[in-house]
Amino acid sequence: MCGILCCLSPTDEKIISFTDRLQKIKHRGPDETNITVVQSPNLTTFTCGFNRLAISNVLDGKQPIESKGWVHVHNGEFYNATEKVEEYDEKYNDLVEKIINKDSYILENMTVEGAISFPKELDGIFAYCSYHKDTETLFVARDRFGVIPLYYVVETEQLATANDDQIYERIWFASEAKALIGLGDIHMFPPNTVMKVTLRNTNTIAAYHAHMETHEIHPPFPTENYYEPIKNVRMGRTQLYPDDFFIKLREAVEKRRQCEVPWGTALSGGLDS
């Protein structure tokens, strides 16, 4: 459990409340806090903060990650990061070494052209924000079931310019809604979604508009007839479960044990579990 706070703004004005808002979700990552600010020549500014809970790569897992013209910040786990290593060419040897030590570095393989389809390759629970400096484009994604929380808000602000007062829009993303209180209407970032965000000069009263383009990562699950209730009859285990059920269950547990710190689990019963 870590904490993310990101803001894409059309101005270079220092966001005074950013540090205070990041502090509101400090409990999500008490081990380390870092803030990265990227400013483009036209003043578009991306501010990214991360509260880290050190679980994997405890000594060298700092975020945000800056690499190859990108800034990445990620909360969650990528279970197939080491499997993807085999697909990389020799020219990515440095990246391969990083991925072996920390799953978040798989984001360094993202390209602008493939950023929309990139989450399809990921097996895990995640919420990430990846900002490309040259194109001033932010890509945000959340896992298929929405295990990792993420919220967003579009903030509007009226700023005085040489000619007239103009309205600007900033877009914020955070791991918890409490970090966004007072900025505007807070929305839950939908699961199974990747969003492309750019700031556009509309030459209207809204001088800069936050343009959001959303895509589904995977096809939706069927919503009808996806199961049949088991009738009230005595059945053996082989009738209840397919042959590979317990194999898949074991594999699902094992891939979630990729950490360097002591871990535990709690089991409960009931239909809500």
Side-chain angles (χ1 to χ4, degrees), residues 26-235:
K26 177 67 176 178
H27 61 278
R28 298 187 62 88
D31 297 323
E32 185 179 14
T33 297
N34 293 295
I35 297 175
T36 297
V37 180
V38 179
Q39 187 181 110
S40 69
N42 69 354
L43 304 185
T44 298
T45 304
F46 177 66
T47 308
C48 181
F50 186 72
N51 291 322
R52 183 179 181 227
L53 177 64
I55 296 177
S56 62
N57 196 11
V58 174
L59 298 179
D60 189 27
K62 181 181 177 180
Q63 291 195 57
I65 301 168
E66 292 192 69
S67 175
K68 302 174 184 178
W70 289 83
V71 178
H72 304 285
V73 65
H74 158 241
N75 179 25
E77 291 183 277
F78 299 128
Y79 304 132
N80 64 334
T82 53
E83 296 174 14
K84 300 297 291 182
V85 166
E86 301 175 0
E87 301 178 14
Y88 297 144
D89 193 282
E90 291 183 359
K91 65 182 179 180
Y92 293 116
N93 278 342
D94 58 334
L95 176 57
V96 169
E97 186 65 27
K98 290 178 180 178
I99 292 175
I100 290 173
N101 294 322
K102 180 172 175 57
D103 59 336
S104 296
Y105 282 105
I106 196 174
L107 293 173
E108 289 191 25
N109 198 48
M110 186 182 301
T111 63
V112 176
E113 297 78 15
I116 296 297
S117 60
F118 187 82
K120 293 181 180 180
E121 305 176 9
L122 303 175
D123 176 15
I125 53 175
F126 57 84
Y128 68 75
C129 296
S130 295
Y131 180 70
H132 189 250
K133 299 177 184 179
D134 289 344
T135 61
E136 301 174 16
T137 306
L138 177 62
F139 297 92
V140 185
R142 190 178 179 206
D143 64 78
R144 189 168 194 175
F145 296 103
V147 176
I148 301 299
L150 191 64
Y151 299 85
Y152 73 96
V153 62
V154 177
E155 176 195 14
T156 59
E157 183 176 358
Q158 188 168 337
L159 299 176
T161 64
N163 298 322
D164 200 354
D165 289 348
Q166 290 186 312
I167 296 174
Y168 291 80
E169 289 185 344
R170 297 188 183 103
I171 186 164
W172 296 72
F173 296 89
S175 297
E176 292 188 19
K178 68 173 68 174
L180 304 176
I181 292 174
L183 295 172
D185 294 334
I186 300 173
H187 307 276
M188 182 186 74
F189 192 93
N192 194 37
T193 299
V194 57
M195 179 185 289
K196 177 181 178 181
V197 184
T198 54
L199 297 177
R200 297 183 176 181
N201 190 337
T202 59
N203 293 317
T204 62
I205 189 171
Y208 280 91
H209 168 69
H211 178 74
M212 296 172 286
E213 176 185 315
T214 59
H215 303 264
E216 278 188 337
I217 298 174
H218 299 283
F221 285 109
T223 56
E224 297 180 359
N225 301 324
Y226 64 94
Y227 82 102
E228 292 183 8
I230 299 175
K231 297 180 180 179
N232 189 21
V233 295
R234 295 182 62 86
M235 301 180 70

Side-chain angles (χ1 to χ4, degrees), residues 7-25:
C7 176
L8 184 59
S9 172
T11 72
D12 64 342
E13 289 192 1
K14 184 177 180 181
I15 304 172
I16 300 174
S17 66
F18 190 92
T19 303
D20 294 336
R21 293 182 181 280
L22 185 61
Q23 186 64 30
K24 289 182 179 181
I25 54 174

